[in-house]
Amino acid sequence: MKPSAERVQDAEEASGALRAGLGTLDPSLPRHVAIIMDGNGRWATNRGRPRTAGHLAGAKAVRRVVEHARRRSIGHLTLYAFSSDNWTRPPEEVGTLMSLFRRYLAAEVPRCVEHDIRLTIVGRRDRLSAQLRRAITAAEHATRKGTALHLRLAIDYSSRDLIIRAAAHVPQGAPVSREEFSRALAAAGHAPDLPDVDLLIRTGGEQRLSDFLLWECAYAELVFSRRMWPEFSEHDLDAALQEFSGRERRFGGATQAVG
Ligand code: FPP
C-alpha cells in the first residue's frame, strides 16, 4: 500500500485528470451530451396554460439537468434552446423566450461560478437584442475558468447555416479533408476544442434532429424520451446514460461496446 500522502496525491491527480479531460476517464460515460428540449408547449397546453408557462417550467428543468450532468461528470452539455427557425413563432412567445434567456444567464452565472461550470453560447448573435448579447458576453467571461462542466446553450442556432458559413472558410481549389473542414467550422463559430456528440437526447416524443449539431452528431447515439421537457428529471437523464452505456458503438467499423 502506498503511503497515505501519495494516495491522496493520486486521488487528486485522478480527479484533476477527470476535470481536465472532462469525463474522459470512464468510457461508459458520454463526453458530450446534447439535448433537444422539446415538449414545453404541449406540457403547458395539456394543463390549460399558455405555452409560455411551459417555457418557464422548462427553465427549471434546465437547472435540474445541468446540476445533474455536472454530478455525473459529463464534460460537455449542449442544450438546444432556440433554433433559427424558431423566429417564426408568435412574437409574444419569442419575446418570452428571449427575456427568459437573459434572466437565466443573469441568475445562473453566480451558480455556474460556484460550481465550476463554464457557460458558452453557440449560434448567431447578430439578431439577438443588445441586452441579451451583453448578458451572454458577461456570462461567458465570468464562467470562462470553469472546468467541471462545459454548458453550451444553442440560441439562434442552425447547423445548416453554420455549415454554409464554414464553406466560405474552406481553402479554395483543393479537396478538403475532415480536419480542414472542422477548422473551417471553427472559423465560422463552432467551438474548435469540442468532442463530437456521443449521446443525443430528444424529449417530447418526437424523433428527429431538427437542424441541431448535424456535423457533430455523425456517430452520436440517439435516445428519444416521451417525457415532455418540463418533466425531464435527474432520473430520466440517468436512464438515458444507462441506455448509452449499453450501446455498441461501431463508428462504421468493428463493434465497440460502450460499457
Ligand atoms: C421546444 O418546445 C422548446 C423550445 C423551443 C424552447 C426551449 C426553451 C426552454 C427549455 C426554456 C428555457 C431555456 C433556458 C436555457 C433558460 P416546444 O415549445 O416546441 O414544445 P411543443 O413541441 O410541445 O410545442
Side-chain angles (χ1 to χ4, degrees), residues 37-42 51 55 59 81 86 89 100-101 104 229:
M37 308 180 287
D38 197 9
N40 289 353
R42 276 166 290 158
R51 291 174 55 82
H55 297 316
N86 287 153
R89 293 192 177 204
L100 195 53
F101 299 147
Y104 174 87
W229 175 253

Side-chain angles (χ1 to χ4, degrees), residues 36-45 51 54-63 79-83 86 89 93 97 100-105 108 151 153-155 202-204 206 208 228-230:
I36 301 176
M37 308 180 287
D38 197 9
N40 289 353
R42 276 166 290 158
W43 179 88
T45 308
R51 291 174 55 82
H55 297 316
L56 288 174
K60 291 188 183 144
V62 168
R63 184 171 298 150
L79 302 178
Y80 207 3
F82 192 87
S83 82
N86 287 153
R89 293 192 177 204
E93 186 175 344
L97 281 166
L100 195 53
F101 299 147
R102 191 167 41 77
R103 282 184 285 129
Y104 174 87
L105 291 173
E108 291 308 297
L151 167 63
L153 299 181
I155 298 178
R202 181 171 188 145
T203 63
E206 309 288 343
R208 53 180 172 266
M228 298 296 139
W229 175 253

